[in-house]
Structure formats: structure tokens, C-alpha cells
Amino acid sequence: MPNIRFQALQTVLTRTIPEVKMPALKISDFYNSHVFDKKKMKEYLSKEGYQGIINAIEKSEPIPRDMAEQVASAMKSWAMSKGATHYTHWFQPLTGTTAEKHDAFFEPTLEGGAIEVFSGDALSQQEPDASSFPSGGIRNTFEARGYTAWDPSSPAFIMGRTLCIPTVFVSYTGEALDYKVPLLKAINALDKAAVDVCHYFDKSIEKVNSSLGIEQEYFLVDIALFNARPDLYLTGRTLFGHLSAKNQQLEDHYFGSIPERVYAFMQDMETEALQLGIPLKTRHNEVAPSQFECAPIYEELNLAIDHNQLLMDLMDRVAKRHNFKVLLHEKPYAGVNGSGKHNNWSMITNTGKNLLSPGKTPKNNLMFLAFFVNTIKAVHEHADLLRASIASVNNDHRLGANEAPPAILSIFLGSQLSEVLDEIETSRISKKIKDDALLWQGIPKIPQILKDNTDRNRTSPFAFTGNKFEFRAVGSSANSASPMTILNLIVADQLKKFKYDVDKLLKKGEKKDVALLMVIKRYIKESKNIRFEGNGYSESWEKEATDRGLSNIKTTPKALDAFISEKSDILFSETDVFTKREVHARHEILLDSFYKKLQIEARVMGEIVTNVIIPAAIEYQTKLVDNVRGLKEIGLNESTYKAQIDIITRIAEHINFIKSNVEQMVDERKKANAIEDLREKAISYDENVKSFFQPIRYHVDKLEQLVDDSLWPLPKFRELLFIK
Ligand code: ADP
Ligand code: MG
């Protein structure tokens, strides 16, 4: 029987491309067709009902019970007209994926028939059997139940034949068990703090929305090859594999055309996404072979995150129809670029002004500078917390490890804006100026259109790109809610401090613009250390960052400390986004998942080497031994089978090394398992168990190079990475 690798390769050769059908010729004809959007609400609801839900969306007003009844009934009618038979509360538990529990609309009647019902209560609240979702002890200690509650700010949609209602997930004691509750609180906190600061410049501003555009990177691999790699399907990444002779050296994939099969997948995926209101706009190849990216047009932050979560789910399902598997892992292949999720973030007022967009007039520029500099200062103050918000076992391979960006948070501004800030920092602000025109000389001119193509810095984890900041350290499989909650929260806190500092000067009798400029100037000075314009991947930067006192926390269990530090404690209690219990619960959940994922990787590694790799190596070795025996038998001397003896010996050496290291790794696992304290346990897994991965892999990859290709059981990198 041919080995599983060859069966898989055979299957790949027979692939045909499924026909791609669009529901209509124009995207505008089917965009949002599966979403209960405002237009449909207007059509299906009474005037009062419509206004009620708009107030709930725009002003976060509670929805009265009778109104919920009306909305539920409207949603049901619409959903049934689209063929939906079930509904579900759709939520984002801390496992990182989305969760749903489907209920049918139908209910039997006394007469033996059935009707379709969907009540206001069923819309507003549901009690999923959620005992298996992580809660970091919150539910265990108090109350076993958690419930989901409707989030009207994100519209309901239909997936397959199910009406999905975006919800938050909270414990019966009111604590957040999901990503959304703190996110919504942080969005609100930023709104309030930003509006207050806006009022220095423009009293008519009532609301500030954070907006987010997420660029999503991913790999595609044929499903048959994926299924022939237990490491891939159990851990999401390859634990072994020698680098293919050709990989990304030529960078020809990035500039190349999209392979036909992939193109068909993308079109299908985009159609479904657009029907669900996900405004996908961009698609292209990425640097590594078989790596791609898609990006939507930016949206209000909460919605952008729901859409990204939905998109990840959707990609996976559509890929199956195309016999692909989507790899969202941050580092599926060692030695090849990893994947991220660039979070493009800005703040936009209800009057349509992007607060991170430099304006036409000096006055506007002062407003821009206020938000710009406060964001920089917030990241400077809480870099460790932001680092913690993106920490995960997967992302550790991307940040701080070999051939990957470092775990140092720094901000890239581009030469023009750096110069502007430098100029302000060294300028003298005259407090006695009577003439406004003179004061503005203290503010350098900022060109409205920044030349961003020339000095784009791809190596910076947090870069200003013209009218938004781009947080690039977020992992490709992560829920962006985690970093975006922290970003909004720290900027909100910073803006509050800014207002306090400015008001203090105003009370002292300082002129408003002078006061604003003085505080901005001070902040520029205080946050200067985090600004870095050079190559973020270089070794010299690691050294310089240490000299500057910036942290470089390479591993998750230690990065997570920032969540429970005293500094964060104060921040959380002042902004009211997390309670202490919630933060500690989250910390616990993250540590727990960290060590469990390493535990799984270690086990998978042990199993594969013992049951798959070593037997294959021995089979080849035995063939060589037989060969040598034969050569001897016919009377040839040793010099004729020297090569065989050499390979036989090397195989033996590698096998011995692998076997003894796997045994030692198991011992270390046992020791780590016995540790009670979660943080210590996670660190022990990281330092004592994970440290075996690389040496074991090295010897397995050496075997891959030695063993007869026809006997090698695992699809090789060259087969996984180059799409046929
Ligand atoms: P790239 O960074 O690859 O050059 P773009 O700058 O065009 O691509 O946009 C990347 C993402 O940033 C897109 O999702 C886009 O909608 C989003 N984006 C653009 N402007 C803003 C903004 N003001 N706020 C948030 N996201 C934005
Ligand atoms: Mg970008």
C-alpha cells in the first residue's frame, strides 16, 4: 500500500476547480443580502420600532420589552423569507473562536400542527449550556450559569439556514465571560474621553467612533495534504519539515498572479462575505508561497471585529468546498514568514472628521496633534499591556523568535511627522503672545497628504500610516477584541489625563492654545523613547531598545504579567473596563490555554516521531542493511558499500538522539504537570518542555533529508507550500 503521503499527493493531482457562481452580476445587488440591516429594519418594523432600535444602536439606549417583541417578530419574518429555520445567539467566548447553539423557530401546537415562533425574550437573552467555556473560575466559585444578551449594535445575519444574533456572554453575577463586554466598555470610554478633548476645538462634536480595518493573512493548503499531517490538523502548524529548496527567497509569490484554484476560492469566499455585509475589498498574494491576504473596508470597531470573527469562520467553510484548508496559525511553517492581522485603527467623529488625519488649518493641526501625541503617549505608558494583549502560544513563534519581528513595542511615524514632533519638542512656546497668528508659529506646518509610500516601514509593530495607526503585532488567528480593548482603553485613559493637564493650565490662566501646546510638547518629550524609525528586525535594535529601557518580553507567560500588574490595576479601576476578578480570570484562562497548547504539541510530537518517523527511518535503514549484506555476499569489499554504512550509522544516531530527547521531554512534562501554580506551570512548559521541540525537530528534519523519498510518510514543505 502506498504511504499516506503518496495517496494525498495523488489526490491533489486529480483536483478540479469548482464552478464559481455569483448571485448577481453586481456586488451592490447582493451586498448585505443576508443581514438584517437598517434598510430591512425600516421595511419590517413600525416607525416607533425602527426608531427604538436606532436609538439602541446609536445611543446605547435600552430596548423596552414590547419593542424587543416587535423586533423579534420582524427578524423572524425576514429570516424565514430567506429560508432560515433556526436561530442562535452568536458570541465570542474566551476560547478565541465563536460559539453558537441553534434552536428551531418551530413549536408544535396542541392541534398536532406546528408554528414558527421567536419571542422578544428569545431574542434578548439565552442561556447556553456554557459550563464548558473557560471562565477562569468565575462561574465555578459563584454561580454555574452564564447567559448571552443581544448586542443591537451589531446586526443579525443569516448563515446557512440559521438566524444569528450577535450577543455578549456574561456570568449570572454580571461578569464578562467573553471578548465583547470589555470591548464595548472600552469603546464607550474612548468615546467619552475623546469627545471631551474634541470640545477644546469643536463644541458640536457629540460622538467619537473608533474605526478598524483588519488585514487578514492566511495560508492555504490542500486538504488531502493537511489530513496527511497529524501535526497540522492537531496543532495548526507543522512541528517538523525541512525547508523546501525553493521557498520565499525569490519573493516571486508576492508579485505573482493568484493561482487559479486559489482565485476560485477567494471569489466564493468574497461572495459569501459580502452577502454577510463584510465589505471585503482587497485580495492579494503575500510574501511566502501559499500565503495570501484579504482586507475589508474599515468599519466601526465592534462591527469590524464581529466581521473578522465571522470571516475566519467563513473562510474555513468555503475552503472545504474547494478542497483547501485555511491555516490561520501565526507560524505554520518554520523558516517561512508567519501570518498576522494588521489592525488599522483610527478615531472618527460623528461630524465625519478623522482625528488622526492632519487638517488644512493650523487649528485643525493642533487637534490632530492632540490625538496623535496622546496615542503615542498611551502606547508608551502601557506598552507592556499592549504586548500582553497579543500574547499567545502561537504568536510567540512570530514575535521574538527566529526569523520573526521582535516582541519590542515601538512606534514608527515616518520622517515628516517625526520632524514635526522634534520641532515642537525644541520650540519655545511664548506664553505672553497676544497675537494668535504668532502663536501658531510654534506649530510646524504639517502637509495634509503625507508621503507615506517612500518611508513605509514594514518592520514596525505599530506604525502611523497617513491617517491611522496600524498595529501589526496582532496574530493572524487572534480575536482582535483583545488588543483593541486595550488600545481603546489606554488611549481613553490618556485623553482623560490630557484633559486634566490642560484644564490645570487653563485654571492657572493660560490661553487655551498655549495650554494645549504646552501639554503636547511635554508628552512628546516623555514618550520619545518609544519612537523608532529604523529596521525593527535588526539585532542592533534589540540592543538599542534595551538601552532605551523598552521591554522585550519574548514569551507569553511573562508577557501576561502586565494584565495583573499594579499599574494595570489602577488603569482598569479608573476606566471601569475590567473588574479585578475579570482580569484575574482572564489571566488564568490565558495561562491555562498556553500550557495546554504546548502540552498538546509535545504529545503530538512524541507520537509522530515514535509511530511515524522512526519506523520510516528504520525501514529505510533495514533496506540498506539488506543491501550491504547482499553486496558482502557476492564478495564485494567494504569500500563499495561505504556510503550505505555511513547512512545507516547516521540514521541510527538521529534515531537515538530523537528517542532519548522525547523521553526527556516526557519527564519534563510530568514535572511541569505536577506544578500547581498556573504561571509557574506555564513557564515550566515554555522553558523546559518547549525547549526540546527545536532539537528534536532538527534531527527529524535531518532524517527527512536522508531517508528514501518514497518511504517518507509526511508531506514535505515543497508539497505543502506550492499549490497545484
Ligand atoms: P495597506 O496598509 O495595505 O496599504 P490601506 O492603507 O489601503 O492598505 O488599508 C488597510 C486597511 O486600513 C483597510 O482595511 C482600510 O479600510 C483600513 N483603513 C483605511 N483608513 C482607515 C481609518 N481611517 N481607520 C481605520 N482603518 C482604516
Ligand atoms: Mg497595511
Side-chain angles (χ1 to χ4, degrees):
M1 196 181 90
N3 74 20
I4 179 167
R5 169 170 157 242
F6 282 91
Q7 288 178 32
L9 288 170
Q10 209 63 49
T11 311
V12 174
L13 289 179
T14 64
R15 295 284 186 227
T16 52
I17 300 175
E19 195 194 344
V20 176
K21 281 199 216 98
M22 293 244 288
L25 276 179
K26 288 203 310 275
I27 288 175
S28 54
D29 286 341
F30 60 87
Y31 179 64
N32 251 341
S33 61
H34 289 27
V35 183
F36 194 56
D37 60 3
K38 285 184 185 159
K39 200 169 130 229
K40 280 159 214 133
M41 286 177 198
K42 206 166 196 168
E43 188 186 324
Y44 280 85
L45 287 166
S46 71
K47 224 173 166 178
E48 299 75 47
Y50 178 71
Q51 199 48 50
I53 190 151
I54 294 297
N55 289 346
I57 296 168
E58 283 167 10
K59 302 184 186 141
S60 313
E61 285 178 11
I63 292 179
R65 206 190 167 88
D66 58 332
M67 203 122 30
E69 211 61 59
Q70 200 195 120
V71 176
S73 149
M75 265 187 200
K76 185 193 73 182
S77 307
W78 168 73
M80 284 174 56
S81 78
K82 306 279 297 178
T85 55
H86 286 65
Y87 68 92
T88 181
H89 277 197
W90 183 81
F91 59 106
Q92 298 168 29
L94 295 166
T95 42
T97 49
T98 51
E100 46 202 72
K101 173 194 155 212
H102 297 194
D103 278 309
F105 287 128
F106 111 96
E107 251 174 40
T109 58
L110 286 177
E111 296 80 32
I115 51 164
E116 269 76 22
V117 278
F118 183 47
S119 69
D121 283 347
L123 164 67
S124 305
Q125 199 165 314
Q126 213 183 24
E127 219 175 282
D129 176 19
S131 50
S132 55
F133 292 114
S135 65
I138 284 179
R139 266 175 302 120
N140 302 348
T141 43
F142 279 79
E143 169 64 58
R145 278 181 299 171
Y147 64 90
T148 51
W150 179 31
D151 165 22
S153 67
S154 181
F157 55 90
I158 294 174
M159 278 261 257
R161 303 192 69 173
T162 304
L163 170 69
C164 302
I165 297 139
T167 55
V168 297
F169 181 36
V170 284
S171 79
Y172 206 65
T173 43
E175 271 123 347
L177 295 173
D178 70 349
Y179 281 109
K180 213 179 225 235
V181 173
L183 178 72
L184 291 172
K185 286 184 181 170
I187 288 173
N188 265 332
L190 180 64
D191 173 20
K192 285 209 182 67
V195 166
D196 282 349
V197 171
C198 282
H199 285 173
Y200 287 129
F201 308 93
D202 182 350
K203 289 270 189 244
S204 72
I205 291 170
E206 289 171 0
K207 193 170 166 66
V208 171
N209 279 313
S210 355
S211 54
L212 177 64
I214 301 177
E215 299 163 65
Q216 176 73 54
E217 290 177 336
Y218 61 96
F219 280 86
L220 284 176
V221 61
D222 190 279
I223 191 108
L225 297 172
F226 173 84
N227 284 330
R229 294 276 320 211
D231 49 351
L232 258 188
Y233 66 73
L234 290 173
T235 73
R237 73 179 181 110
T238 51
L239 299 172
F240 315 100
H242 193 268
L243 209 54
S244 154
K246 175 182 191 288
N247 54 83
Q248 65 187 53
Q249 314 87 319
L250 303 177
E251 298 204 345
D252 50 353
H253 183 65
Y254 192 75
F255 297 108
S257 60
I258 298 169
E260 222 27 51
R261 256 186 92 185
V262 176
Y263 184 50
F265 156 75
M266 284 176 170
Q267 284 176 303
D268 251 1
M269 186 254 287
E270 283 163 3
T271 299
E272 288 212 16
L274 290 161
Q275 286 177 321
L276 285 166
I278 305 171
L280 279 190
K281 176 105 172 147
T282 317
R283 58 166 103 105
H284 60 82
N285 290 349
E286 263 302 325
V287 178
S290 289
Q291 192 187 25
F292 306 93
E293 182 189 294
C294 61
I297 297 167
Y298 68 90
E299 300 177 278
E300 186 278 314
L301 200 145
N302 178 37
L303 189 59
I305 288 177
D306 278 3
H307 278 165
N308 180 253
Q309 289 295 115
L310 196 54
L311 180 69
M312 290 195 288
D313 197 36
L314 190 80
M315 286 167 89
D316 196 49
R317 281 186 303 107
V318 176
K320 282 199 188 103
R321 290 207 299 269
H322 289 259
N323 296 304
F324 278 131
K325 185 73 194 171
V326 173
L327 304 180
L328 289 169
H329 195 287
E330 281 69 1
K331 193 79 179 174
Y333 305 105
V336 174
N337 266 25
S339 299
K341 184 180 293 207
H342 296 180
N343 280 215
N344 294 272
W345 173 90
S346 71
M347 297 168 271
I348 300 178
T349 67
N350 63 313
T351 56
K353 182 173 172 31
N354 178 352
L355 296 168
L356 292 176
S357 187
K360 279 199 192 85
T361 62
K363 193 178 165 73
N364 271 337
N365 275 340
L366 189 58
M367 187 170 181
F368 159 73
L369 281 171
F371 285 93
F372 183 62
V373 170
N374 271 292
T375 306
I376 298 170
K377 174 103 160 97
V379 174
H380 176 259
E381 287 300 307
H382 296 286
D384 285 354
L385 192 55
L386 210 50
R387 163 74 183 94
S389 75
I390 49 146
S392 71
V393 73
N394 295 359
N395 220 8
D396 279 3
H397 294 290
R398 225 182 118 237
L399 307 177
N402 311 331
E403 8 101 11
I408 309 161
L409 259 181
S410 65
I411 304 183
F412 170 84
L413 300 182
S415 57
Q416 281 178 310
L417 284 168
S418 291
E419 279 162 25
V420 167
L421 295 199
D422 290 345
E423 214 175 303
I424 297 174
E425 191 192 336
T426 51
S427 72
R428 290 181 50 218
I429 303 164
S430 170
K431 298 182 188 177
K432 296 189 201 83
I433 295 174
K434 298 251 160 49
D435 181 1
D436 260 5
L438 275 176
L439 166 79
W440 295 114
Q441 288 178 0
I443 308 175
K445 285 204 176 53
I446 305 172
Q448 223 197 333
I449 310 286
L450 297 159
K451 52 162 200 288
D452 73 343
N453 344 348
T454 46
D455 57 359
R456 283 211 140 189
N457 186 334
R458 295 262 162 214
T459 65
S460 175
F462 202 95
F464 187 72
T465 47
N467 60 0
K468 61 193 190 284
F469 280 101
E470 185 169 335
F471 190 21
R472 303 191 180 121
V474 185
S476 46
S477 69
N479 185 328
S480 285
S482 169
M484 287 302 109
T485 300
I486 298 301
L487 182 62
N488 275 36
L489 164 69
I490 62 178
V491 175
D493 182 65
Q494 183 52 53
L495 288 170
K496 264 163 73 179
K497 294 198 167 110
F498 178 70
K499 183 169 161 47
Y500 175 85
D501 288 341
V502 172
D503 286 350
K504 211 160 75 184
L505 291 177
L506 293 181
K507 274 194 204 108
K508 278 193 194 155
E510 217 62 78
K511 273 184 81 163
K512 189 171 78 184
D513 294 335
V514 174
L516 287 163
L517 207 49
M518 282 171 72
V519 179
I520 288 173
K521 184 175 160 166
R522 172 155 70 83
Y523 285 4
I524 291 174
K525 205 171 256 156
E526 287 169 356
S527 58
K528 204 175 172 181
N529 260 350
I530 197 128
R531 279 160 49 197
F532 178 62
E533 301 287 305
N535 177 4
Y537 292 8
S538 67
E539 255 174 62
S540 59
W541 169 232
E542 286 216 48
K543 286 195 202 87
E544 188 184 331
T546 317
D547 293 342
R548 289 190 189 190
L550 300 179
S551 355
N552 184 4
I553 312 168
K554 297 192 177 186
T555 62
T556 294
K558 287 179 183 162
L560 293 177
D561 287 348
F563 274 125
I564 52 165
S565 70
E566 217 166 292
K567 194 172 171 186
S568 302
D569 204 29
I570 297 167
L571 172 76
F572 293 143
S573 66
E574 276 175 1
T575 45
D576 214 19
V577 167
F578 287 112
T579 66
K580 208 167 178 150
R581 251 162 62 85
E582 282 170 339
V583 169
H584 280 263
R586 248 150 245 257
H587 183 238
E588 206 177 288
I589 290 165
L590 292 167
L591 285 172
D592 193 64
S593 110
F594 177 85
Y595 97 80
K596 281 185 180 151
K597 284 185 180 159
L598 281 185
Q599 187 177 52
I600 292 169
E601 288 194 348
R603 284 179 181 160
V604 171
M605 195 165 220
E607 276 175 28
I608 295 179
V609 295
T610 313
N611 306 333
V612 180
I613 305 286
I614 294 182
I618 290 177
E619 191 180 345
Y620 179 51
Q621 199 185 35
T622 309
K623 272 191 162 176
L624 292 174
V625 170
D626 288 347
N627 174 265
V628 171
R629 200 180 285 125
L631 293 173
K632 253 187 184 166
E633 251 174 48
I634 60 171
L636 293 176
N637 68 28
E638 210 183 317
S639 66
T640 54
Y641 45 81
K642 227 173 110 222
Q644 287 88 320
I645 297 284
D646 178 52
I647 299 172
I648 291 167
T649 318
R650 277 156 67 196
I651 289 178
E653 283 163 8
H654 291 307
I655 290 178
N656 284 328
F657 182 93
I658 292 168
K659 184 173 174 288
S660 81
N661 272 265
V662 167
E663 278 161 9
Q664 289 172 54
M665 179 170 77
V666 172
D667 283 344
E668 287 302 332
R669 227 158 63 207
K670 283 184 186 149
K671 278 190 219 155
N673 289 342
I675 301 173
E676 283 280 328
D677 181 78
L678 257 183
R679 181 177 178 274
E680 292 306 313
K681 189 183 211 139
I683 291 176
S684 178
Y685 258 95
D686 191 48
E687 289 175 1
N688 307 327
V689 179
K690 190 183 165 190
S691 51
F692 282 97
F693 292 4
Q694 188 45 41
I696 293 173
R697 176 188 191 132
Y698 175 82
H699 288 273
V700 170
D701 293 355
K702 284 283 166 203
L703 283 177
E704 183 187 319
Q705 286 177 293
L706 281 177
V707 171
D708 177 356
D709 187 64
S710 69
L711 296 176
W712 193 255
L714 300 176
K716 297 184 174 182
F717 270 26
R718 61 167 188 258
E719 292 147 0
L720 296 166
L721 279 166
F722 292 91
I723 285 171
K724 280 165 279 293

